[in-house]
PDB file of all heavy atoms in Angstrom:
ATOM      1  N   VAL A1455       0.842  -1.203   0.000  1.00 93.00           N
ATOM      2  CA  VAL A1455       0.000   0.000   0.000  1.00 93.00           C
ATOM      3  C   VAL A1455       0.878   1.254   0.000  1.00 93.00           C
ATOM      4  O   VAL A1455       0.596   2.231  -0.723  1.00 93.00           O
ATOM      5  CB  VAL A1455      -0.937  -0.001   1.225  1.00 93.00           C
ATOM      6  CG1 VAL A1455      -1.710   1.309   1.312  1.00 93.00           C
ATOM      7  CG2 VAL A1455      -1.901  -1.183   1.149  1.00 93.00           C
ATOM      8  N   ILE A1456       1.943   1.237   0.773  1.00 94.00           N
ATOM      9  CA  ILE A1456       2.863   2.380   0.811  1.00 94.00           C
ATOM     10  C   ILE A1456       3.493   2.598  -0.559  1.00 94.00           C
ATOM     11  O   ILE A1456       3.669   3.744  -1.004  1.00 94.00           O
ATOM     12  CB  ILE A1456       3.942   2.161   1.891  1.00 94.00           C
ATOM     13  CG1 ILE A1456       3.308   2.204   3.287  1.00 94.00           C
ATOM     14  CG2 ILE A1456       5.039   3.213   1.791  1.00 94.00           C
ATOM     15  CD1 ILE A1456       4.267   1.857   4.415  1.00 94.00           C
ATOM     16  N   LEU A1457       3.834   1.514  -1.261  1.00 93.00           N
ATOM     17  CA  LEU A1457       4.397   1.652  -2.610  1.00 93.00           C
ATOM     18  C   LEU A1457       3.398   2.282  -3.565  1.00 93.00           C
ATOM     19  O   LEU A1457       3.782   3.033  -4.469  1.00 93.00           O
ATOM     20  CB  LEU A1457       4.842   0.286  -3.141  1.00 93.00           C
ATOM     21  CG  LEU A1457       6.179  -0.269  -2.653  1.00 93.00           C
ATOM     22  CD1 LEU A1457       6.568  -1.487  -3.476  1.00 93.00           C
ATOM     23  CD2 LEU A1457       7.273   0.771  -2.732  1.00 93.00           C
ATOM     24  N   PHE A1458       2.117   1.958  -3.411  1.00 90.00           N
ATOM     25  CA  PHE A1458       1.087   2.595  -4.233  1.00 90.00           C
ATOM     26  C   PHE A1458       1.009   4.094  -3.944  1.00 90.00           C
ATOM     27  O   PHE A1458       0.884   4.909  -4.860  1.00 90.00           O
ATOM     28  CB  PHE A1458      -0.278   1.940  -3.971  1.00 90.00           C
ATOM     29  CG  PHE A1458      -0.641   0.881  -4.964  1.00 90.00           C
ATOM     30  CD1 PHE A1458      -0.367  -0.454  -4.710  1.00 90.00           C
ATOM     31  CD2 PHE A1458      -1.265   1.206  -6.155  1.00 90.00           C
ATOM     32  CE1 PHE A1458      -0.697  -1.442  -5.621  1.00 90.00           C
ATOM     33  CE2 PHE A1458      -1.606   0.232  -7.081  1.00 90.00           C
ATOM     34  CZ  PHE A1458      -1.326  -1.098  -6.812  1.00 90.00           C
ATOM     35  N   LEU A1459       1.078   4.450  -2.648  1.00 91.00           N
ATOM     36  CA  LEU A1459       0.947   5.854  -2.263  1.00 91.00           C
ATOM     37  C   LEU A1459       2.223   6.650  -2.537  1.00 91.00           C
ATOM     38  O   LEU A1459       2.159   7.832  -2.897  1.00 91.00           O
ATOM     39  CB  LEU A1459       0.589   5.938  -0.773  1.00 91.00           C
ATOM     40  CG  LEU A1459      -0.747   5.296  -0.363  1.00 91.00           C
ATOM     41  CD1 LEU A1459      -0.927   5.360   1.155  1.00 91.00           C
ATOM     42  CD2 LEU A1459      -1.913   5.973  -1.068  1.00 91.00           C
ATOM     43  N   ILE A1460       3.378   6.000  -2.351  1.00 92.00           N
ATOM     44  CA  ILE A1460       4.670   6.674  -2.551  1.00 92.00           C
ATOM     45  C   ILE A1460       5.522   5.810  -3.486  1.00 92.00           C
ATOM     46  O   ILE A1460       6.437   5.099  -3.049  1.00 92.00           O
ATOM     47  CB  ILE A1460       5.406   6.896  -1.214  1.00 92.00           C
ATOM     48  CG1 ILE A1460       4.457   7.467  -0.154  1.00 92.00           C
ATOM     49  CG2 ILE A1460       6.596   7.844  -1.407  1.00 92.00           C
ATOM     50  CD1 ILE A1460       5.082   7.597   1.215  1.00 92.00           C
ATOM     51  N   PRO A1461       5.242   5.822  -4.785  1.00 91.00           N
ATOM     52  CA  PRO A1461       5.999   4.965  -5.722  1.00 91.00           C
ATOM     53  C   PRO A1461       7.480   5.297  -5.783  1.00 91.00           C
ATOM     54  O   PRO A1461       8.297   4.456  -6.188  1.00 91.00           O
ATOM     55  CB  PRO A1461       5.308   5.233  -7.066  1.00 91.00           C
ATOM     56  CG  PRO A1461       4.589   6.530  -6.896  1.00 91.00           C
ATOM     57  CD  PRO A1461       4.195   6.603  -5.462  1.00 91.00           C
ATOM     58  N   GLY A1462       7.853   6.497  -5.354  1.00 91.00           N
ATOM     59  CA  GLY A1462       9.263   6.873  -5.387  1.00 91.00           C
ATOM     60  C   GLY A1462      10.152   6.016  -4.512  1.00 91.00           C
ATOM     61  O   GLY A1462      11.369   5.976  -4.711  1.00 91.00           O
ATOM     62  N   ILE A1463       9.554   5.328  -3.530  1.00 92.00           N
ATOM     63  CA  ILE A1463      10.349   4.418  -2.687  1.00 92.00           C
ATOM     64  C   ILE A1463      11.022   3.359  -3.557  1.00 92.00           C
ATOM     65  O   ILE A1463      12.152   2.941  -3.280  1.00 92.00           O
ATOM     66  CB  ILE A1463       9.448   3.768  -1.620  1.00 92.00           C
ATOM     67  CG1 ILE A1463       8.962   4.822  -0.634  1.00 92.00           C
ATOM     68  CG2 ILE A1463      10.190   2.652  -0.881  1.00 92.00           C
ATOM     69  CD1 ILE A1463       7.995   4.286   0.398  1.00 92.00           C
ATOM     70  N   ALA A1464      10.330   2.926  -4.603  1.00 90.00           N
ATOM     71  CA  ALA A1464      10.895   1.913  -5.502  1.00 90.00           C
ATOM     72  C   ALA A1464      11.605   2.523  -6.701  1.00 90.00           C
ATOM     73  O   ALA A1464      12.550   1.927  -7.221  1.00 90.00           O
ATOM     74  CB  ALA A1464       9.787   0.975  -5.988  1.00 90.00           C
ATOM     75  N   THR A1465      11.184   3.685  -7.153  1.00 90.00           N
ATOM     76  CA  THR A1465      11.720   4.241  -8.401  1.00 90.00           C
ATOM     77  C   THR A1465      12.860   5.229  -8.202  1.00 90.00           C
ATOM     78  O   THR A1465      13.579   5.533  -9.156  1.00 90.00           O
ATOM     79  CB  THR A1465      10.601   4.943  -9.189  1.00 90.00           C
ATOM     80  OG1 THR A1465      10.023   5.996  -8.378  1.00 90.00           O
ATOM     81  CG2 THR A1465       9.501   3.950  -9.560  1.00 90.00           C
ATOM     82  N   TRP A1466      13.046   5.715  -6.945  1.00 91.00           N
ATOM     83  CA  TRP A1466      14.067   6.744  -6.747  1.00 91.00           C
ATOM     84  C   TRP A1466      15.474   6.230  -7.036  1.00 91.00           C
ATOM     85  O   TRP A1466      16.237   6.855  -7.777  1.00 91.00           O
ATOM     86  CB  TRP A1466      14.016   7.268  -5.307  1.00 91.00           C
ATOM     87  CG  TRP A1466      15.145   8.224  -5.030  1.00 91.00           C
ATOM     88  CD1 TRP A1466      15.212   9.545  -5.371  1.00 91.00           C
ATOM     89  CD2 TRP A1466      16.406   7.906  -4.393  1.00 91.00           C
ATOM     90  NE1 TRP A1466      16.420  10.071  -4.976  1.00 91.00           N
ATOM     91  CE2 TRP A1466      17.169   9.101  -4.384  1.00 91.00           C
ATOM     92  CE3 TRP A1466      16.933   6.740  -3.838  1.00 91.00           C
ATOM     93  CZ2 TRP A1466      18.440   9.147  -3.825  1.00 91.00           C
ATOM     94  CZ3 TRP A1466      18.208   6.791  -3.298  1.00 91.00           C
ATOM     95  CH2 TRP A1466      18.947   7.979  -3.292  1.00 91.00           C
ATOM     96  N   LEU A1467      15.856   5.091  -6.457  1.00 89.00           N
ATOM     97  CA  LEU A1467      17.218   4.591  -6.606  1.00 89.00           C
ATOM     98  C   LEU A1467      17.549   4.234  -8.054  1.00 89.00           C
ATOM     99  O   LEU A1467      18.632   4.614  -8.540  1.00 89.00           O
ATOM    100  CB  LEU A1467      17.451   3.388  -5.682  1.00 89.00           C
ATOM    101  CG  LEU A1467      18.888   2.845  -5.639  1.00 89.00           C
ATOM    102  CD1 LEU A1467      19.855   3.949  -5.255  1.00 89.00           C
ATOM    103  CD2 LEU A1467      18.994   1.682  -4.658  1.00 89.00           C
ATOM    104  N   PRO A1468      16.687   3.516  -8.810  1.00 88.00           N
ATOM    105  CA  PRO A1468      17.007   3.265 -10.223  1.00 88.00           C
ATOM    106  C   PRO A1468      17.182   4.561 -11.015  1.00 88.00           C
ATOM    107  O   PRO A1468      18.088   4.666 -11.849  1.00 88.00           O
ATOM    108  CB  PRO A1468      15.797   2.472 -10.728  1.00 88.00           C
ATOM    109  CG  PRO A1468      15.183   1.888  -9.525  1.00 88.00           C
ATOM    110  CD  PRO A1468      15.435   2.850  -8.413  1.00 88.00           C
ATOM    111  N   THR A1469      16.319   5.568 -10.741  1.00 88.00           N
ATOM    112  CA  THR A1469      16.429   6.848 -11.450  1.00 88.00           C
ATOM    113  C   THR A1469      17.728   7.555 -11.099  1.00 88.00           C
ATOM    114  O   THR A1469      18.414   8.106 -11.977  1.00 88.00           O
ATOM    115  CB  THR A1469      15.233   7.754 -11.098  1.00 88.00           C
ATOM    116  OG1 THR A1469      14.014   7.076 -11.403  1.00 88.00           O
ATOM    117  CG2 THR A1469      15.291   9.056 -11.877  1.00 88.00           C
ATOM    118  N   TYR A1470      18.081   7.521  -9.816  1.00 86.00           N
ATOM    119  CA  TYR A1470      19.320   8.162  -9.377  1.00 86.00           C
ATOM    120  C   TYR A1470      20.542   7.513 -10.028  1.00 86.00           C
ATOM    121  O   TYR A1470      21.460   8.212 -10.489  1.00 86.00           O
ATOM    122  CB  TYR A1470      19.426   8.081  -7.859  1.00 86.00           C
ATOM    123  CG  TYR A1470      20.745   8.573  -7.315  1.00 86.00           C
ATOM    124  CD1 TYR A1470      21.009   9.933  -7.185  1.00 86.00           C
ATOM    125  CD2 TYR A1470      21.745   7.665  -6.940  1.00 86.00           C
ATOM    126  CE1 TYR A1470      22.231  10.385  -6.699  1.00 86.00           C
ATOM    127  CE2 TYR A1470      22.966   8.116  -6.452  1.00 86.00           C
ATOM    128  CZ  TYR A1470      23.200   9.464  -6.335  1.00 86.00           C
ATOM    129  OH  TYR A1470      24.403   9.892  -5.866  1.00 86.00           O
ATOM    130  N   LEU A1471      20.562   6.186 -10.056  1.00 82.00           N
ATOM    131  CA  LEU A1471      21.703   5.483 -10.651  1.00 82.00           C
ATOM    132  C   LEU A1471      21.805   5.766 -12.144  1.00 82.00           C
ATOM    133  O   LEU A1471      22.908   5.936 -12.682  1.00 82.00           O
ATOM    134  CB  LEU A1471      21.569   3.980 -10.401  1.00 82.00           C
ATOM    135  CG  LEU A1471      21.715   3.522  -8.947  1.00 82.00           C
ATOM    136  CD1 LEU A1471      21.447   2.030  -8.824  1.00 82.00           C
ATOM    137  CD2 LEU A1471      23.100   3.854  -8.402  1.00 82.00           C
ATOM    138  N   LYS A1472      20.653   5.837 -12.829  1.00 79.00           N
ATOM    139  CA  LYS A1472      20.671   6.159 -14.258  1.00 79.00           C
ATOM    140  C   LYS A1472      21.200   7.569 -14.485  1.00 79.00           C
ATOM    141  O   LYS A1472      21.998   7.806 -15.396  1.00 79.00           O
ATOM    142  CB  LYS A1472      19.260   6.030 -14.834  1.00 79.00           C
ATOM    143  CG  LYS A1472      18.816   4.617 -15.111  1.00 79.00           C
ATOM    144  CD  LYS A1472      17.449   4.619 -15.782  1.00 79.00           C
ATOM    145  CE  LYS A1472      16.998   3.201 -16.118  1.00 79.00           C
ATOM    146  NZ  LYS A1472      15.663   3.187 -16.760  1.00 79.00           N
ATOM    147  N   THR A1473      20.742   8.510 -13.659  1.00 81.00           N
ATOM    148  CA  THR A1473      21.188   9.897 -13.798  1.00 81.00           C
ATOM    149  C   THR A1473      22.687  10.011 -13.544  1.00 81.00           C
ATOM    150  O   THR A1473      23.407  10.696 -14.284  1.00 81.00           O
ATOM    151  CB  THR A1473      20.429  10.803 -12.808  1.00 81.00           C
ATOM    152  OG1 THR A1473      19.022  10.675 -13.031  1.00 81.00           O
ATOM    153  CG2 THR A1473      20.834  12.246 -12.989  1.00 81.00           C
ATOM    154  N   ALA A1474      23.156   9.329 -12.504  1.00 74.00           N
ATOM    155  CA  ALA A1474      24.583   9.368 -12.190  1.00 74.00           C
ATOM    156  C   ALA A1474      25.411   8.761 -13.318  1.00 74.00           C
ATOM    157  O   ALA A1474      26.478   9.286 -13.673  1.00 74.00           O
ATOM    158  CB  ALA A1474      24.845   8.622 -10.881  1.00 74.00           C
ATOM    159  N   LYS A1475      24.901   7.679 -13.895  1.00 71.00           N
ATOM    160  CA  LYS A1475      25.629   7.037 -14.992  1.00 71.00           C
ATOM    161  C   LYS A1475      25.650   7.936 -16.222  1.00 71.00           C
ATOM    162  O   LYS A1475      26.672   8.035 -16.913  1.00 71.00           O
ATOM    163  CB  LYS A1475      24.975   5.693 -15.327  1.00 71.00           C
ATOM    164  CG  LYS A1475      25.773   4.855 -16.318  1.00 71.00           C
ATOM    165  CD  LYS A1475      25.137   3.492 -16.498  1.00 71.00           C
ATOM    166  CE  LYS A1475      25.967   2.626 -17.449  1.00 71.00           C
ATOM    167  NZ  LYS A1475      25.364   1.278 -17.623  1.00 71.00           N
ATOM    168  N   THR A1476      24.517   8.600 -16.497  1.00 70.00           N
ATOM    169  CA  THR A1476      24.453   9.507 -17.645  1.00 70.00           C
ATOM    170  C   THR A1476      25.419  10.669 -17.473  1.00 70.00           C
ATOM    171  O   THR A1476      26.115  11.069 -18.416  1.00 70.00           O
ATOM    172  CB  THR A1476      23.016  10.043 -17.820  1.00 70.00           C
ATOM    173  OG1 THR A1476      22.132   8.935 -17.991  1.00 70.00           O
ATOM    174  CG2 THR A1476      22.923  10.949 -19.026  1.00 70.00           C
ATOM    175  N   GLU A1477      25.463  11.232 -16.246  1.00 66.00           N
ATOM    176  CA  GLU A1477      26.389  12.335 -15.981  1.00 66.00           C
ATOM    177  C   GLU A1477      27.839  11.888 -16.126  1.00 66.00           C
ATOM    178  O   GLU A1477      28.679  12.632 -16.638  1.00 66.00           O
ATOM    179  CB  GLU A1477      26.147  12.886 -14.580  1.00 66.00           C
ATOM    180  CG  GLU A1477      24.819  13.618 -14.437  1.00 66.00           C
ATOM    181  CD  GLU A1477      24.591  14.129 -13.032  1.00 66.00           C
ATOM    182  OE1 GLU A1477      25.431  13.806 -12.157  1.00 66.00           O
ATOM    183  OE2 GLU A1477      23.595  14.829 -12.799  1.00 66.00           O
ATOM    184  N   GLN A1478      28.130  10.674 -15.685  1.00 64.00           N
ATOM    185  CA  GLN A1478      29.496  10.152 -15.811  1.00 64.00           C
ATOM    186  C   GLN A1478      29.886   9.996 -17.273  1.00 64.00           C
ATOM    187  O   GLN A1478      30.993  10.359 -17.669  1.00 64.00           O
ATOM    188  CB  GLN A1478      29.610   8.813 -15.089  1.00 64.00           C
ATOM    189  CG  GLN A1478      31.022   8.235 -15.106  1.00 64.00           C
ATOM    190  CD  GLN A1478      31.107   6.898 -14.391  1.00 64.00           C
ATOM    191  OE1 GLN A1478      30.104   6.356 -13.961  1.00 64.00           O
ATOM    192  NE2 GLN A1478      32.313   6.372 -14.262  1.00 64.00           N
ATOM    193  N   ILE A1479      28.968   9.469 -18.072  1.00 62.00           N
ATOM    194  CA  ILE A1479      29.238   9.317 -19.507  1.00 62.00           C
ATOM    195  C   ILE A1479      29.443  10.682 -20.152  1.00 62.00           C
ATOM    196  O   ILE A1479      30.337  10.880 -20.985  1.00 62.00           O
ATOM    197  CB  ILE A1479      28.082   8.556 -20.190  1.00 62.00           C
ATOM    198  CG1 ILE A1479      28.037   7.113 -19.681  1.00 62.00           C
ATOM    199  CG2 ILE A1479      28.238   8.581 -21.698  1.00 62.00           C
ATOM    200  CD1 ILE A1479      26.834   6.341 -20.200  1.00 62.00           C
ATOM    201  N   HIS A1480      28.607  11.676 -19.741  1.00 55.00           N
ATOM    202  CA  HIS A1480      28.731  13.027 -20.287  1.00 55.00           C
ATOM    203  C   HIS A1480      30.081  13.636 -19.932  1.00 55.00           C
ATOM    204  O   HIS A1480      30.747  14.257 -20.779  1.00 55.00           O
ATOM    205  CB  HIS A1480      27.587  13.891 -19.756  1.00 55.00           C
ATOM    206  CG  HIS A1480      27.646  15.308 -20.222  1.00 55.00           C
ATOM    207  ND1 HIS A1480      27.417  15.682 -21.531  1.00 55.00           N
ATOM    208  CD2 HIS A1480      27.917  16.469 -19.530  1.00 55.00           C
ATOM    209  CE1 HIS A1480      27.541  16.991 -21.645  1.00 55.00           C
ATOM    210  NE2 HIS A1480      27.833  17.489 -20.445  1.00 55.00           N
ATOM    211  N   ASN A1481      30.494  13.459 -18.663  1.00 62.00           N
ATOM    212  CA  ASN A1481      31.784  14.000 -18.239  1.00 62.00           C
ATOM    213  C   ASN A1481      32.935  13.329 -18.965  1.00 62.00           C
ATOM    214  O   ASN A1481      33.904  13.998 -19.357  1.00 62.00           O
ATOM    215  CB  ASN A1481      31.943  13.834 -16.728  1.00 62.00           C
ATOM    216  CG  ASN A1481      30.964  14.683 -15.936  1.00 62.00           C
ATOM    217  OD1 ASN A1481      30.503  15.710 -16.429  1.00 62.00           O
ATOM    218  ND2 ASN A1481      30.639  14.258 -14.721  1.00 62.00           N
ATOM    219  N   ASN A1482      32.834  12.017 -19.148  1.00 61.00           N
ATOM    220  CA  ASN A1482      33.890  11.299 -19.880  1.00 61.00           C
ATOM    221  C   ASN A1482      33.970  11.776 -21.327  1.00 61.00           C
ATOM    222  O   ASN A1482      35.063  11.908 -21.889  1.00 61.00           O
ATOM    223  CB  ASN A1482      33.625   9.800 -19.832  1.00 61.00           C
ATOM    224  CG  ASN A1482      33.810   9.215 -18.445  1.00 61.00           C
ATOM    225  OD1 ASN A1482      34.474   9.814 -17.599  1.00 61.00           O
ATOM    226  ND2 ASN A1482      33.227   8.052 -18.195  1.00 61.00           N
ATOM    227  N   THR A1483      32.811  12.037 -21.923  1.00 63.00           N
ATOM    228  CA  THR A1483      32.789  12.518 -23.309  1.00 63.00           C
ATOM    229  C   THR A1483      33.445  13.886 -23.415  1.00 63.00           C
ATOM    230  O   THR A1483      34.207  14.162 -24.351  1.00 63.00           O
ATOM    231  CB  THR A1483      31.334  12.589 -23.806  1.00 63.00           C
ATOM    232  OG1 THR A1483      30.729  11.308 -23.685  1.00 63.00           O
ATOM    233  CG2 THR A1483      31.294  13.027 -25.261  1.00 63.00           C
ATOM    234  N   GLN A1484      33.154  14.756 -22.428  1.00 58.00           N
ATOM    235  CA  GLN A1484      33.763  16.078 -22.437  1.00 58.00           C
ATOM    236  C   GLN A1484      35.278  15.986 -22.285  1.00 58.00           C
ATOM    237  O   GLN A1484      36.024  16.733 -22.943  1.00 58.00           O
ATOM    238  CB  GLN A1484      33.172  16.926 -21.306  1.00 58.00           C
ATOM    239  CG  GLN A1484      31.744  17.395 -21.562  1.00 58.00           C
ATOM    240  CD  GLN A1484      31.252  18.302 -20.463  1.00 58.00           C
ATOM    241  OE1 GLN A1484      31.619  18.146 -19.302  1.00 58.00           O
ATOM    242  NE2 GLN A1484      30.399  19.258 -20.815  1.00 58.00           N
ATOM    243  N   GLU A1485      35.735  15.051 -21.419  1.00 57.00           N
ATOM    244  CA  GLU A1485      37.178  14.883 -21.231  1.00 57.00           C
ATOM    245  C   GLU A1485      37.838  14.394 -22.512  1.00 57.00           C
ATOM    246  O   GLU A1485      38.909  14.872 -22.888  1.00 57.00           O
ATOM    247  CB  GLU A1485      37.440  13.899 -20.094  1.00 57.00           C
ATOM    248  CG  GLU A1485      37.060  14.431 -18.720  1.00 57.00           C
ATOM    249  CD  GLU A1485      37.291  13.408 -17.634  1.00 57.00           C
ATOM    250  OE1 GLU A1485      37.806  12.314 -17.964  1.00 57.00           O
ATOM    251  OE2 GLU A1485      36.962  13.681 -16.457  1.00 57.00           O
ATOM    252  N   VAL A1486      37.181  13.456 -23.204  1.00 55.00           N
ATOM    253  CA  VAL A1486      37.737  12.939 -24.454  1.00 55.00           C
ATOM    254  C   VAL A1486      37.800  14.056 -25.504  1.00 55.00           C
ATOM    255  O   VAL A1486      38.803  14.198 -26.225  1.00 55.00           O
ATOM    256  CB  VAL A1486      36.882  11.749 -24.959  1.00 55.00           C
ATOM    257  CG1 VAL A1486      37.299  11.360 -26.374  1.00 55.00           C
ATOM    258  CG2 VAL A1486      37.023  10.564 -24.024  1.00 55.00           C
ATOM    259  N   ASP A1487      36.739  14.868 -25.577  1.00 58.00           N
ATOM    260  CA  ASP A1487      36.719  15.973 -26.549  1.00 58.00           C
ATOM    261  C   ASP A1487      37.822  16.983 -26.243  1.00 58.00           C
ATOM    262  O   ASP A1487      38.489  17.494 -27.162  1.00 58.00           O
ATOM    263  CB  ASP A1487      35.357  16.677 -26.513  1.00 58.00           C
ATOM    264  CG  ASP A1487      34.250  15.805 -27.074  1.00 58.00           C
ATOM    265  OD1 ASP A1487      34.567  14.848 -27.806  1.00 58.00           O
ATOM    266  OD2 ASP A1487      33.078  16.082 -26.778  1.00 58.00           O
ATOM    267  N   PHE A1488      38.041  17.261 -24.956  1.00 53.00           N
ATOM    268  CA  PHE A1488      39.088  18.209 -24.574  1.00 53.00           C
ATOM    269  C   PHE A1488      40.469  17.681 -24.956  1.00 53.00           C
ATOM    270  O   PHE A1488      41.315  18.417 -25.483  1.00 53.00           O
ATOM    271  CB  PHE A1488      39.010  18.473 -23.071  1.00 53.00           C
ATOM    272  CG  PHE A1488      40.158  19.301 -22.544  1.00 53.00           C
ATOM    273  CD1 PHE A1488      40.205  20.666 -22.760  1.00 53.00           C
ATOM    274  CD2 PHE A1488      41.203  18.689 -21.853  1.00 53.00           C
ATOM    275  CE1 PHE A1488      41.265  21.432 -22.281  1.00 53.00           C
ATOM    276  CE2 PHE A1488      42.261  19.447 -21.376  1.00 53.00           C
ATOM    277  CZ  PHE A1488      42.292  20.816 -21.587  1.00 53.00           C
TER     278      PHE A1488
END
């Protein structure tokens, strides 16, 4: 029931890890371009 009311309990960590991975790839790309 809590997951229904607050779905972010399950979705926050996957979203955070994806965002962190995307930022890391972006930073690596910028370093390669430099």
